[in-house]
Amino acid sequence: MSDHREAILGRVREALRRPTDPHVRSTSAPATSEPRAWLPAGGDTHDDRVALFAEWSDKLKTSFITVADESQAAGELARIAAEEGWTSVGVHTDPLVQACTGQLTVSQLSTDGGYDPAELEKCDAGITACDALVAQTGSVVLTTASAGGRALSVLPPHHVAIARRDQLLPDLPSAYELLRQRYAAAWPSFMTIISGPSRTGDIERILVLGAHGPKKLTVILVG
Amino acid sequence: MSTPLEQFQHDAAQVAGDGDQRQFLRSSLSGYVTTRRGTQGRFQDYTSARAAAAEIKWNAIENLDKLLPQFADNLEARGVKVHWCRNGDDARKAILGVIHAHGAKSIVKSKCMTTEEIHLNELLENEGFEVVESDLGEFIVQLRGEAPYHFVFPAMHLKRGAINKLFKEKLKSADTDDPEQLTMIAREVLRQKYLDADVGISGANFGVAETGMISITENEGNARLTTAMPKVHIAVMGIEKVIPKLDDLALLLPLLATAGTGQHLTGYNSQLGGPRQAGEVDGPEEMHVVLLDNHRTRLLADQEQRDALRCIRCGACLNVCPIFKNVGGHTYGTTYQGPIGSVITPHLRGLSSWKHLSDSSSLCGACTETCPVQIDLHHHLLRNRRNSAQKQGGVLESLQMRIFSFVMRRPWLYGLGGKLGRIGHVLSRPIQGTKLDPLYKWRATRDFPDPAAKTFKEQWKERRR
């Protein structure tokens, strides 16, 4: 099969040899080059960020739970499991996830080292760690490296993300900064920013949750 | 076969005459405007955010010769096969090649306008593959055998009753008018498709040159499932989607969501760089990126209008456009509707057959005002008009202008014309609105105002007395 790399790059170079017409080149540069000054606010203190994350969770229909420690988190998980009648959950190896799922009496499917998609599809929930929470947008940031792969957080009907206190960041620029620090040497093949459960407005612009991914998103902040 | 212009005029008249449909469109678009206003208000400085986003995209376009190879090299370093495609033919061949190489049978797709541009579904279906659109709106229009009505809200023209009828007929589903139940019917059907599909095809909202990743924006999770479950992932992307840095997304993602759907950030914003890497538990075995030119370099060569390549396909210009509100999305007959479609389609498909789109504009500037990357849309519409007039100035038009200037230079003739016009207006009353009426085309849909009792000149004379 032929590859037209040079043909296309040649056309691009040829096109760019003609400079942009100065009349249409906008020059209105913003006052500062710091995106944080333009974007929605992200919260200065940890308490501000918790409040902001809670506000967004409310809007996005995320269930946001703050707990003092891991044993409380485990209690919350057991409560949800009983309420929703879970029979099996998907998990992955992570100290925080392990500490919080210890009390769960339902069967656990680990995605570590590969899994059967049909089995994961039958799980009532996928419980994952994450890379960060973003107060500015009420989002969970995760990657294949931090959350047991691509599917664990999207295939089961309920996604529970667990985060530690220091993982709550103010805004998107900080989230990308963190990802860069953590992964620039070897990027995972998949990173995502999750804002609320799966949703659609495709029918008469009426909000419906759980279009294809999880119908429920629960975020537990520990500490 | 009718020309694009005739088709446009025919469809526009039909949609504009359907009061119910117009009312429905207007009310859903006004809901969008309200939501968006609130979201925009949460930015600390939306104007600067827009200017900065415009600048990022300007730089990307003007440095495409450097960013494109950087993007492709970084992708390849992570095991992605990059296909450079000059046109739809190249792209269709490349995609078909990958599908054949894997002996694939079923294909699941997440929303991708670039594949609409190259009529991919038609080809794959003709070749005997099962192709399913997984975005709910796309799934609905696919079942109806229609093109997307709006490139962000593909099924916005359909009321729930029509969707119920469609699902009952095609999916044998139970009778329901509830949007939630309708969504769950589609969810059921599509769930199995992700698990069974051999190949997943997606689009890309951005391509990050620095890291070699594509970024996909969505709400439903269908793109995540499409790119997680099948063995092979093919992403189809226009060459203009490349941006320099990963951090640019911190600005572009919220702007795209705000302008596009009035959301603060869409449900899922995912960056994908490669197939499953060593140590990862899932993800496709192979990833392909199809880079499509398809006349984008022709637009790039236009020194005045290349900034139209900055478009991030948020659809905001459609949502505020008075023409779109009246004629709807299908009337355009294009992959990209609304003002941005009217600007770029003549470049992608040829000016002579598509110039009418630039004529069908109120030039009110609402599109330019709303564009999150500051594309000068309404002036581009004017530039298209100018270019088409320069290219093939109409004989009739130039004759009309000659007559006009002849009359205007002779006040007595102008005055006589005015008088005859008044008499004609009275005499034409009986045939008004019928096909005998010389002004039928105008009067069929509008009122022709009665002339004033006295002309300006008459009034002027009287007052000076």
Side-chain angles (χ1 to χ4, degrees):
Chain A
M1 193 180 59
S2 63
D3 200 19
H4 304 292
R5 176 175 167 133
E6 273 320 301
I8 292 173
L9 285 175
R11 282 188 200 169
V12 170
R13 283 190 289 264
E14 178 72 20
L16 288 175
R17 221 165 275 147
R18 305 144 147 247
T20 302
D21 187 316
H23 295 293
V24 297
R25 179 73 162 95
S26 111
T27 50
S28 63
T32 141
S33 59
E34 175 52 65
R36 285 195 180 90
W38 324 314
L39 289 169
D44 295 328
T45 66
H46 181 75
D47 287 347
D48 289 349
R49 297 200 269 271
V50 171
L52 197 54
F53 196 93
E55 186 194 333
W56 278 117
S57 296
D58 195 42
K59 286 205 176 95
L60 293 167
K61 320 255 187 237
T62 300
S63 155
F64 177 48
I65 302 168
T66 53
V67 294
D69 55 31
E70 288 157 5
S71 75
Q72 271 190 24
E76 287 294 331
L77 267 182
R79 178 186 60 78
I80 300 169
E83 261 175 32
E84 296 186 1
W86 290 353
T87 56
S88 62
V89 294
V91 292
H92 65 109
T93 299
D94 174 272
L96 190 58
V97 172
Q98 256 65 65
C100 300
T101 52
Q103 289 179 29
L104 280 184
T105 51
V106 300
S107 73
Q108 299 191 5
L109 169 76
S110 172
T111 58
D112 294 356
Y115 59 91
D116 176 2
E119 286 300 308
L120 183 59
E121 214 271 329
K122 283 186 219 135
C123 287
D124 298 301
I127 303 173
T128 74
C130 63
D131 285 281
L133 302 181
V134 181
Q136 182 187 45
T137 51
S139 312
V140 183
V141 180
L142 54 80
T143 63
T144 31
S146 68
R150 297 190 189 204
L152 179 56
S153 55
V154 73
L155 202 52
H158 191 159
H159 173 210
V160 181
I162 313 176
R164 294 183 319 271
R165 177 187 165 94
D166 61 355
Q167 287 187 300
L168 176 56
L169 303 177
D171 49 26
L172 288 173
S174 340
Y176 278 109
E177 215 170 277
L178 175 93
L179 291 172
R180 182 181 299 281
Q181 280 169 12
R182 190 166 289 169
Y183 300 118
W187 291 102
S189 71
F190 175 82
M191 319 197 290
T192 195
I193 301 169
I194 299 172
S195 311
S198 157
R199 58 193 55 228
T200 186
D202 274 348
I203 301 175
E204 294 191 16
R205 295 182 56 80
I206 294 164
L207 176 70
V208 175
L209 298 180
H212 296 289
K215 288 178 192 173
K216 285 185 183 166
L217 171 66
T218 299
V219 175
I220 303 180
L221 182 63
V222 182
Chain B
M1 213 176 116
S2 60
T3 64
L5 169 63
E6 287 160 2
Q7 189 68 44
F8 182 88
Q9 286 173 334
H10 170 265
D11 294 355
Q14 205 149 54
V15 181
D18 182 345
D20 271 2
Q21 183 65 19
R22 269 168 66 198
Q23 185 50 40
F24 179 61
L25 258 184
R26 270 160 204 265
S27 73
S28 54
L29 289 175
S30 71
Y32 155 83
V33 169
T34 317
T35 341
R36 178 183 164 168
R37 202 173 292 140
T39 317
Q40 211 168 293
R42 289 196 74 126
F43 276 76
Q44 298 175 85
D45 182 352
Y46 188 75
T47 312
S48 292
R50 249 180 108 203
E55 193 57 33
I56 289 171
K57 288 291 285 183
W58 256 129
N59 281 327
I61 297 307
E62 291 179 335
N63 290 296
L64 206 53
D65 53 337
K66 297 173 208 75
L67 293 176
L68 264 180
Q70 188 193 358
F71 173 64
D73 292 346
N74 280 329
L75 279 171
E76 277 165 359
R78 300 171 52 80
V80 179
K81 170 81 180 105
V82 180
H83 305 261
W84 296 76
C85 301
R86 297 163 304 178
N87 48 38
D89 231 21
D90 283 354
R92 286 187 293 266
K93 264 187 211 142
I95 296 165
L96 210 54
V98 175
I99 292 171
H100 281 308
H102 288 272
K105 287 189 181 61
S106 60
I107 298 152
V108 67
K109 281 183 72 199
S110 71
K111 193 167 187 313
C112 172
M113 293 313 293
T114 320
T115 61
E116 298 283 342
E117 207 179 306
I118 62 172
H119 306 293
L120 185 65
N121 289 5
E122 210 178 314
L123 167 84
L124 295 178
E125 278 160 13
N126 288 343
E127 295 274 331
F129 297 104
E130 193 204 10
V131 190
V132 185
E133 290 288 348
S134 60
D135 172 89
L136 178 59
E138 289 275 349
F139 177 66
I140 293 168
V141 293
Q142 188 189 24
L143 284 182
R144 284 172 63 95
E146 278 180 352
Y149 194 78
H150 179 300
F151 59 75
V152 175
F153 307 111
M156 76 176 297
H157 57 307
L158 297 172
K159 293 182 200 168
R160 56 185 95 176
I163 298 167
N164 176 29
K165 193 167 156 259
L166 177 74
F167 281 7
K168 276 198 301 194
E169 203 177 290
K170 303 267 173 163
L171 306 174
K172 313 276 173 262
S173 62
D175 186 51
T176 175
D177 263 359
D178 178 28
E180 175 154 8
Q181 284 181 29
L182 289 169
T183 306
M184 291 311 130
I185 292 166
R187 178 185 164 116
E188 281 292 296
V189 173
L190 289 163
R191 248 316 151 104
Q192 205 50 48
K193 304 287 180 194
Y194 301 116
L195 297 170
D196 297 344
D198 308 303
V199 174
I201 299 180
S202 78
N205 294 84
F206 300 101
V208 183
E210 172 197 38
T211 55
M213 292 173 189
I214 60 162
S215 183
I216 302 180
T217 290
E218 54 154 346
N219 271 310
E220 297 181 3
N222 63 309
R224 287 190 60 192
L225 288 162
T226 299
T227 57
M229 309 312 293
K231 277 195 316 236
V232 182
H233 169 207
I234 306 174
V236 188
M237 171 182 147
I239 54 170
E240 85 285 13
K241 294 280 173 82
V242 179
I243 54 167
K245 299 197 310 286
L246 184 66
D247 296 28
D248 294 336
L249 293 175
L251 173 64
L252 292 171
L253 298 178
L255 265 187
L256 173 59
T258 302
T261 54
Q263 285 174 285
H264 201 60
L265 202 59
T266 46
Y268 301 105
N269 284 283
S270 308
Q271 285 90 57
L272 298 97
R276 178 199 298 202
Q277 307 287 305
E280 291 183 340
V281 302
D282 58 7
E285 290 162 18
E286 264 183 39
M287 179 176 173
H288 296 260
V289 170
V290 173
L291 273 176
L292 183 68
D293 175 352
N294 211 23
H295 299 310
R296 284 164 173 79
T297 44
R298 190 152 80 187
L299 182 51
L300 185 67
D302 189 322
Q303 294 163 279
E304 276 185 332
Q305 296 203 52
R306 63 172 52 143
D307 74 315
L309 289 172
R310 298 205 311 248
C311 174
I312 56 176
R313 307 279 189 261
C314 67
C317 58
L318 283 65
N319 299 340
V320 299
C321 178
I323 305 299
F324 182 85
K325 280 181 202 165
N326 282 303
V327 306
H330 282 151
T331 299
Y332 286 83
T334 55
T335 309
Y336 308 103
Q337 309 82 8
I340 186 66
S342 304
V343 167
I344 63 176
T345 305
H347 291 268
L348 304 181
R349 297 196 191 168
L351 183 62
S352 58
S353 308
W354 295 93
K355 61 178 181 181
H356 59 279
L357 296 181
S358 302
D359 293 333
S360 320
S361 163
S362 59
L363 297 177
C364 62
C367 47
T368 305
E369 198 183 320
T370 203
C371 177
V373 289
Q374 297 184 323
I375 300 172
D376 193 4
L377 287 158
H378 71 292
H379 283 109
H380 285 328
L381 293 170
L382 278 173
R383 290 185 183 107
N384 278 347
R385 291 187 188 184
R386 177 203 61 197
N387 294 346
S388 92
Q390 275 171 359
K391 224 174 172 178
Q392 43 180 82
V395 183
L396 191 66
E397 216 167 74
S398 91
L399 183 68
Q400 282 169 348
M401 289 318 279
R402 291 231 300 271
I403 295 170
F404 178 73
S405 92
F406 183 84
V407 174
M408 292 310 277
R409 270 183 276 144
R410 289 161 182 82
W412 63 269
L413 193 54
Y414 177 76
L416 182 66
K419 277 184 191 126
L420 290 175
R422 279 146 194 267
I423 298 166
H425 187 75
V426 177
L427 291 179
S428 75
R429 281 216 178 108
I431 53 161
Q432 202 165 317
T434 70
K435 297 232 169 169
L436 292 170
D437 185 351
L439 296 172
Y440 174 74
K441 275 202 168 171
W442 176 275
R443 285 207 263 227
T445 51
R446 313 168 186 84
D447 294 325
F448 196 80
D450 286 333
K454 285 176 185 163
T455 67
F456 177 78
K457 273 170 90 176
E458 285 164 0
Q459 292 185 47
W460 183 258
K461 267 186 196 157
E462 269 178 29
R463 295 208 184 173
R464 286 184 66 184
R465 238 179 250 149

